Amino acid sequence: MRVLGIETTCDETAAAIVSVERSGETKILSNEILSQIAAHAAYGGVVPEIAARAHVEAIDRIVERAFESAGVKPGEIDAVAAAAGPGLVGGVMVGLTTAKAIALVTGKPFIAINHLEAHALTARLTDNLSFPYLLLLVSGGHTQLLAVRGVGDYLKLGGTIDDAVGEAFDKIAKMLGLPYPGGPSVEREAAKGDPERFDFPRPMQGRPNPDFSLSGLKTAVRLVAERIAPLSDRDVADLCASFQAAIVDVLVDRTRAGLRASHAAGITPTTLVVAGGVAANQPIRRGLTRLATEAGLPMVAPPQALCGDNGAMIAWAGLERLRLSMLDDMSALARPRWPLDELKPRHPAPATDSAAG
């Protein structure tokens, strides 16, 4: 089976072809990504109108490159998948319309993918995981803890009540005059700083419900930065290091609460998974690895190239759904909001189901 996946929910125009061989082996045949970081850097964040226009200009070229890199012709794929949301609706419409057109021309099935489900299932592409597992989904717009019970079957255990983790990183970077995107910039500066210089709060720490709140931490950083201004290079590095240390502590504590909540719901996870753009952060990975070891679980994070938005994760989610005959028609709409726990499985996967099954 081969599936073309198209991703245009934010500021990456991406297309990929992923296959499952007769042996059960999964392969990423191509994974083409065009980032718009340079176009948005001057604004310190993504401008929806600029993003949508850039997707229109790039999408045909990126899809063509995906086929060429894979050595596959359009008629040789088995389905076309596209992210239908959540995301910036103008960009989502570009990818969705392109995917529908390819499906119509080739006569192949069309699959509308929830962008968050694609992140949630990426670990099955890379590590052949079985259900169920506990997922910490951390990205620019989303921070959630979910029990992943099967394709389309998600129990939300907790989420942020204000800022997402990636959003907090971006805001701190902008506050301190660091370049966009904020996550990598803050991580680079933090590596040079003292994480114990500033004692920032750990919001929600110790609470039984596995929810998150990051606006208070962001405000605490701003108040300290204003108090010690003008900031030296050392100040910026120490602020980043202390902020990042607080984020790691919060994520570990809240994920520990998520593990307890999962067991309370009668779900025993086989693995702790972290996914989404922020999952590329190395101190966060190390903190969650320590937690997983403490809980007696393996910790899985996709390779850094698959943490951010990419077409391979969309193609893989399409493959997962194709194997279960979970297809869509041409009436599928672009959705700016689409909570994961609204998805409904048509064929619940057994607890022992593996990615290669």
Side-chain angles (χ1 to χ4, degrees), residues 145-270:
L145 279 162
L146 302 120
V148 181
R149 297 178 289 200
V151 177
D153 190 2
Y154 305 92
L155 174 65
K156 184 178 179 181
L157 302 169
T160 182
I161 61 176
D162 41 58
D163 290 355
V165 175
E167 181 183 5
F169 270 99
D170 283 343
K171 289 179 177 178
I172 293 302
K174 189 172 184 179
M175 183 190 307
L176 299 178
L178 299 175
Y180 175 84
S185 296
V186 170
E187 185 177 1
R188 281 194 297 271
E189 289 297 316
K192 301 180 287 187
D194 177 4
E196 297 183 356
R197 178 177 170 188
F198 303 108
D199 185 18
F200 291 132
R202 273 64 171 166
M204 309 287 281
Q205 191 169 45
R207 296 196 184 186
N209 58 311
D211 288 323
F212 303 78
S213 175
L214 296 170
S215 61
L217 172 57
K218 178 189 65 182
T219 300
V221 176
R222 177 178 59 80
L223 292 175
V224 170
E226 290 174 350
R227 176 171 57 81
I228 66 174
L231 301 177
S232 66
D233 291 345
R234 171 54 59 188
D235 293 332
V236 171
D238 291 347
L239 284 166
C240 288
S242 299
F243 164 75
Q244 183 174 261
I247 287 287
V248 172
D249 287 349
V250 166
L251 292 182
V252 169
D253 178 78
R254 301 291 74 216
T255 303
R256 184 181 290 110
L259 283 168
R260 290 194 294 266
S262 178
H263 285 285
I267 302 166
T268 302
T270 61

Side-chain angles (χ1 to χ4, degrees), residues 56 59 71 98 138 219-220 245 252 255-256 261-262 272 279 282:
V56 171
I59 188 66
T98 300
V138 279
T219 300
V252 169
T255 303
R256 184 181 290 110
S262 178
L272 172 60
Q282 292 302 308

